[in-house]
Structures are given as structure tokens and as C-alpha cells.
Amino acid sequence: MRTALVLGGSIAGLMAARVLSDHAERVVIVDADDLDTDGARPGVPQLAHLHVLLDMGGTQLQRWLPGLIGELVDDGAVLSDWDRMWQYLDGARKVSVSGRQLLGATRPFIESRVRRRVLARENVTVVRGRVDGLRFTGNRVSGAYYLPLGADRDGREELAGDLVVDATGRASRLGAWLEAAGWQAPPLERMRIDLGYATALFGRGTELPGVTTAQCLSSAPAAGQPPEDTAAMSEVEGGRWMVVLANYADRRPTRDPEEFLTRCGKLGAEPFQEVAARCEMLGEVVVHSVADSRRRDFRRLDRFPAGLVAVGDAVAAFNPVYGQGMASATLHASCLSAFLRSGESLQEPAWGYFRRVRVVVDAAWQLSTLGDLAQPHVTGPYPPGYRFASWYSERFLAATVTDPEVNQVFVDVVNMREHPRLLTRPSTVLRVAKALTGRRRAG
Ligand SMILES: Cc1cc2nc3c(=O)[nH]c(=O)nc-3n(C[C@H](O)[C@H](O)[C@H](O)COP(=O)(O)OP(=O)(O)OC[C@H]3O[C@@H](n4cnc5c(N)ncnc54)[C@H](O)[C@@H]3O)c2cc1C
């Protein structure tokens, strides 16, 4: 392949570019933002929020950029074993599990190091500009049109590519670009979640020795009751805590710092109470809203141009509470690698890629939407078998509090190391039943 064109240079675009640099003479990344920054960027407004890197995300980053995790840690990121991750459900601290790691660092910090490593590859370059359409040659995509920084439509330019990768995130315009050229847009499935996020940084002192990360979850609310706050916190570079509160609909947290501290103090989880009571808030509370979880199902199309794939949030963007985004993006890069290595022709639609990526998307979607559907304001779509899945998942979650084996399964699935089917494996179901029977007897 002569040129691979990657539209969007955030985490998914960078990882795709890394993979493509092994297969193309030249890889060109086009992004509307100035990528030469370690700070905020308008193209990715969620950069200011806590971004935990799931265990699978760490493994995949390390696969494509060997030594990266060590470099992040040397620069100040906090890599912790799971026993330093305190998890709570309905105010009860869960049993510890082992063998998994979590990286605590701000998202710009992680991304800037990934970017540095990818752009250090000789055949990868960046062009600054806003992509506004695809170029077609017959039945294949052969490039993209873009507006360089400051140019109007008369200044539109084009870039050629033998393979074009859409990595423009959840608001991707790929469907519109395809339709404009007479192709079908991939069907877009949306689940309205109406989520609100608030994040604040705190100075870390001597409080909470032995804790680097904490998470506070609640069971689904009873009928007529509002959902409790979900919260997560992590130690990040620079000796700071990053704390996030999330809730839905009219319970969304605001940017009021007093409200933030009060809500942290009311959580049934000691680490949040400690930070709210003892640590100094640094800067302002930042908020963000996520209207829906969404996925584009390319496999449901009967026709698709050759020379085009999509990665990252452009394929599927989930409720961020589950922290699956960056790990998914790295797995999509691995799917792209497997596709390119399979020898399937680039002169045909990349069905082999979309088949692989669908496995990753289905697994992440299954997990995150099961939790979302339990919220009273979420109205579907409900998948077949939802009532049983929801009944079982409540019991499964209750068993994660006391049973180390069940919690290990939960942690492995949540970290995308295992497929969600592990949750209903007969040995897991048996273990859940035993844990709950034991609890009833003890109670
Ligand atoms: C509040 C919040 C918290 C989150 N927390 C976590 C977490 O804890 N852990 C986790 O793993 N994930 C988390 N996520 C998800 C994560 O942010 C995304 O999954 C991830 O950023 C997706 O990367 P991406 O590269 O696909 O898209 P994006 O990061 O959205 O990047 C898209 C890129 O495309 C560029 N672009 C867009 N349109 C154009 C165009 N027309 N022309 C040129 N360039 C364009 C943008 O400038 C940007 O650089 C969170 C998300 C949110 C909203």
C-alpha cells in the first residue's frame, strides 16, 4: 500500500496510524485540531475528564508501542495493582482481586506520549485541516477532501489514500459523506442515556495510603427512586487525585464546587469522603454531558466501498462510566492489523475488518448497555432476553462484594480481558448462587 489516510488523530487515529505504518509506505493523519499540544483541544472536549486505562488498553498500547507504559510511569503516571483499587457497591467494599493493573493519568498526558511515539515513526505525518468529504474512484474510496486551517470552501484540498480510516470520533460524518456519493450510511443505533459528568482535581497528601483508585457503584434504583451518584477517582501524575461524579437526567452534577464536595461526602465510600474532607480542590469543576451511547453497524450494509474502514468512537461510543473507549480503540487497531495481515484484497470492501471489529463492539456494548437499561429514565431498545439478564446481573453484582472468584470474573470482563459470556458460564453461575446462599445463611 502506498498511502494510508487516517481522518482524526486522537487515540483511535493514532493507534490505527501505528498499525498502518507497518503496511503503508506513507501514513498521513488529518486532524482539525493542533496536535502539537499537551493541553485541551476543541475536537475532544472530554479530555479534561478522568480517563482510566483498562488493563486490556494497557496491554494493547504496550503491544503496539513497546515500553510505553514504563515511559508513562517514569513520567509520573500511577500504575497500580488491583488491590490498590477500592471498589464499592451500595456502600460495601468489595473483596480484592489480583493480577490486573490500572493506569492512572490524565488523558492529555497519555495521549501526548502515544502521539510522540507514533509520530516518531519515519513514515507517519500530520496535516492540519477539517475533512469534509470522501473522494471516490469507481467503487472505492481513494482519498478525502479537507479544508486547511483558516481556508473556506474555495480553498478545499484533497489527499489521496489507498486506504482511508475514519477516526473522527462519535460525531463522525462518515454516513453523510457516503450518502452524498450515493452509498448507504451504516445504520446508527442509539441508546439515550442523558448522562452528566463532573470532574475535579485535588492535591494528594498523606491520606488514603494504599489506595490509588476507587470506584463507587450502586444497584439499580427501586421503582420511583432516583439513581444514586456513580463515582470514580484515581491518583494521576503530579501528585493529584482526579475525581469524577456521574448521574443521569435531572440528577446530573453541576459545576458548583460546594455541591461537588457535598455529593462526594455523601457517597458510601471512604476514599471519596476523605478527599472531599481533607484535600484542596485544584481549579474548577468541569462538566460534560453525553446524550447517548451509539454504534454504527457496518455489517448490516449489503454494499460498501472498498478502501474504507472506521475505528474508535466513529464505530461505537459507550457510556463513559465503564471506561471502555480507549481500550476499544486499541483493540480496533489490532483488528485492523489482523485484517491487513490476512491478505484480504483492499480492492474489495473490508468486510473482514468489520467482522472482527464487531466482536469487540458487541462485547463492550452488551456490558455497558445492560447497566444503562437498568436506569429508570432509559427506555431501550431492550435486547432479547433482557429481563433474565437484568435479574441475573443484579445477583451477580451482589456476589462480587464478597466472593473473590466472582469479583475476579467481573474485573476481567470489565477490563475487556474476557468476553461477557464468562459472566453466565455454568461455573460462574454456580459460584454466584453459592455466594448468595452463604450470605443469606450468614445473615
Ligand atoms: C466524559 C467522558 C469520560 C470518558 N472516560 C473514559 C475513560 O475513563 N476511559 C476510556 O478509555 N475512555 C473514556 N472515554 C471515552 C474516550 O474519550 C473515547 O472513547 C476516545 O476519546 C475515542 O477516541 P477516538 O480517537 O475514537 O475519538 P476522539 O477522541 O473523539 O477524537 C476524534 C478526533 O477526530 C478529530 N476530528 C473530528 N472531526 C474531524 C474532521 N471533520 N476533520 C478532521 N479531524 C476531525 C478531532 O479533532 C479529534 O482529534 C470517556 C468519554 C467521555 C465523553
Side-chain angles (χ1 to χ4, degrees):
M1 190 190 327
R2 272 215 309 277
T3 307
L5 196 54
V6 181
L7 317 180
S10 185
I11 197 81
L14 289 169
M15 293 311 292
R18 163 63 196 87
V19 163
L20 287 162
S21 69
D22 288 341
H23 298 268
E25 286 167 28
R26 218 172 134 236
V27 181
V28 181
I29 300 173
V30 196
D31 201 292
D33 276 352
D34 175 11
L35 295 185
D36 201 12
T37 171
D38 287 356
R41 308 200 267 121
V44 189
Q46 72 269 30
L47 282 187
H49 293 273
L50 177 64
H51 269 71
V52 292
L53 180 65
L54 300 181
D55 190 83
M56 178 52 100
T59 302
Q60 293 291 323
L61 280 183
Q62 188 74 6
R63 171 181 179 196
W64 293 110
L65 302 169
L68 180 79
I69 299 294
E71 191 182 319
L72 285 161
V73 172
D74 288 346
D75 286 355
V78 183
L79 185 66
S80 38
D81 292 328
W82 211 264
D83 57 1
R84 298 170 77 200
M85 158 89 172
W86 289 20
Q87 299 171 283
Y88 293 80
L89 179 70
D90 299 331
R93 185 164 159 214
K94 292 187 183 186
V95 282
S96 275
V97 297
S98 57
R100 298 285 168 248
Q101 293 188 312
L102 206 87
L103 186 91
T106 61
R107 164 76 187 261
F109 182 90
I110 299 174
E111 194 175 301
S112 62
R113 270 114 189 123
V114 171
R115 186 163 57 232
R116 203 186 296 156
R117 291 284 295 272
V118 173
L119 299 189
R121 296 182 76 80
E122 269 185 353
N123 57 348
V124 181
T125 52
V126 175
V127 168
R128 178 122 186 240
R130 176 162 296 283
V131 177
D132 73 346
L134 296 174
R135 189 179 91 168
F136 289 82
T137 305
N139 276 347
R140 55 174 296 112
V141 170
S142 56
Y145 299 103
Y146 75 101
L147 302 173
L149 183 67
D152 58 20
R153 264 191 86 79
D154 295 337
R156 203 183 194 213
E157 295 194 9
E158 66 181 63
L159 283 163
D162 306 299
L163 179 66
V164 175
V165 179
D166 176 25
T168 56
R170 61 180 280 130
S172 163
R173 308 247 322 123
L174 186 71
W177 297 337
L178 284 166
E179 280 177 339
W183 294 84
Q184 263 179 299
L188 176 65
E189 182 176 355
R190 291 178 182 209
M191 181 175 290
R192 194 161 177 83
I193 55 172
D194 210 359
L195 173 78
Y197 239 64
T199 294
L201 282 159
F202 293 83
R204 200 219 206 286
T206 53
E207 71 287 338
L208 299 168
V211 185
T212 50
T213 314
Q215 187 191 41
C216 180
L217 300 175
S218 310
S219 301
Q225 292 302 308
E228 300 286 340
D229 287 343
T230 293
M233 58 184 258
S234 184
E235 187 178 348
V236 297
E237 79 279 0
R240 298 170 295 170
W241 291 113
M242 197 172 221
V243 182
V244 57
L245 285 177
N247 210 325
Y248 299 94
D250 53 4
R251 297 271 301 149
R252 283 184 295 198
T254 71
R255 57 179 88 240
D256 176 358
E258 285 309 315
E259 178 198 308
F260 192 93
L261 293 175
T262 307
R263 286 171 82 152
C264 282
K266 283 187 183 161
L267 291 166
E270 184 200 336
F272 297 90
Q273 297 163 357
E274 278 282 296
V275 167
R278 295 181 52 186
C279 301
E280 184 195 350
M281 192 185 281
L282 310 170
E284 296 179 346
V285 178
V286 191
V287 294
H288 188 90
S289 295
V290 181
D292 55 35
S293 296
R294 54 176 70 177
R295 62 173 166 177
R296 295 179 172 86
D297 196 348
F298 294 84
R299 290 281 301 158
R300 280 169 53 201
L301 295 169
D302 353 294
R303 279 181 72 239
F304 197 68
L308 179 64
V309 297
V311 293
D313 278 17
V315 179
F318 314 98
N319 182 335
V321 161
Y322 304 96
Q324 298 161 314
M326 293 190 295
S328 291
T330 59
L331 284 165
H332 296 180
S334 290
C335 292
L336 183 58
S337 165
F339 167 69
L340 292 170
R341 281 170 203 278
S342 71
E344 286 169 65
S345 168
L346 288 181
Q347 304 308 316
E348 300 293 327
W351 298 125
Y353 167 74
F354 289 116
R355 194 179 62 244
R356 288 173 173 91
V357 101
R358 190 180 176 175
V359 176
V360 177
V361 171
D362 278 355
W365 182 265
Q366 192 181 332
L367 193 73
S368 67
T369 57
L370 186 63
D372 293 340
L373 285 167
Q375 300 301 331
H377 70 287
V378 176
T379 53
Y382 294 92
Y386 168 71
R387 280 166 87 85
F388 172 74
S390 154
W391 177 88
Y392 174 70
S393 102
E394 254 178 60
R395 278 141 193 90
F396 176 88
L397 275 181
T400 60
V401 176
T402 50
D403 191 291
E405 269 184 43
V406 178
N407 201 25
Q408 184 80 52
V409 170
F410 174 75
V411 165
D412 286 349
V413 172
V414 165
N415 275 278
M416 302 181 84
R417 295 221 75 92
E418 296 285 356
H419 193 274
R421 76 171 73 91
L422 200 68
L423 302 172
T424 46
R425 191 179 57 176
S427 58
T428 313
V429 175
L430 205 64
R431 192 79 204 183
V432 170
K434 266 193 190 153
L436 296 184
T437 317
R439 258 176 33 161
R440 269 198 291 273
R441 281 212 192 102

